[in-house]
Amino acid sequence: MLAIASDHGGFALKQEIMTHLRATGVEFEDLGTYSEESCDYPVYAEKLGKAVAAGDYEKGILICGTGIGISIAANKIHGVRAALCGDCYSAEMCRRHNDANVLALGGRVLGVELAKRIVDTFLTAPFEGGRHQRRVDLISALETEQ
């Protein structure tokens, strides 16, 4: 299952993405925020990131105004590999080569249709493993050094 969360800056795009996910039959859980009232993106990055890292969800989608802050916050959580993507190629490669488990999007910088295509790409692209697994393992090793 998929988790999705946003701050106020990503709320409108999150609503559009959730409508798209429902229409395509993707099961998900909305972890907040539930309005456009100002809130702090690290709270939602932590909530979703910890749930993905714990295995409660296979993948996650985080959305803030630019996607930058929420992706930085999510990547502080051990086990999260969040990728900020503004195009489909990056969404595909972050899955194939980096085994990204969280997609970050910018609600104020992406059009809805492009964001939907990015989400679809992220959700369907497989991790290739092989030489890429060694690199993902090296990333994971960095977490244990801290």
Side-chain angles (χ1 to χ4, degrees):
M1 187 190 282
L2 174 73
I4 189 168
S6 73
D7 72 353
H8 59 283
F11 180 78
L13 182 59
K14 183 181 73 162
Q15 299 306 110
E16 296 284 347
I17 296 298
M18 290 191 309
T19 298
H20 176 69
L21 294 172
R22 281 187 205 98
T24 56
V26 175
E27 290 186 40
F28 67 91
E29 186 169 349
D30 179 4
L31 302 183
T33 191
Y34 305 110
S35 75
E36 290 184 326
E37 184 177 331
S38 183
C39 61
D40 299 319
Y41 61 80
V43 171
Y44 297 96
E46 179 182 20
K47 184 175 184 180
L48 183 140
K50 285 184 174 179
V52 170
D56 298 337
Y57 302 95
E58 182 181 345
K59 294 178 186 137
I61 299 172
L62 288 170
I63 310 169
C64 70
T66 62
I68 297 168
I70 209 161
S71 65
I72 291 170
N75 277 315
K76 300 296 182 186
I77 298 165
H78 181 70
V80 170
R81 289 177 305 282
L84 171 57
C85 297
D87 60 84
C88 292
Y89 181 76
S90 296
E92 182 177 356
M93 291 300 105
C94 79
R95 287 290 309 130
R96 289 189 181 280
H97 292 188
N98 309 116
D99 198 20
N101 52 10
V102 174
L103 171 65
L105 300 171
R108 295 177 177 151
V109 297
L110 283 177
V112 172
E113 294 307 312
L114 176 56
K116 290 178 192 177
R117 290 194 307 272
I118 292 168
V119 166
D120 290 345
T121 302
F122 178 81
L123 294 179
T124 58
F127 177 52
E128 290 180 359
R131 71 185 191 277
H132 305 295
Q133 183 62 58
R134 183 179 75 249
R135 295 165 185 158
V136 170
D137 291 344
L138 288 169
I139 293 169
S140 295
L142 293 172
E143 294 174 334
T144 59
E145 291 175 12
Q146 299 303 314

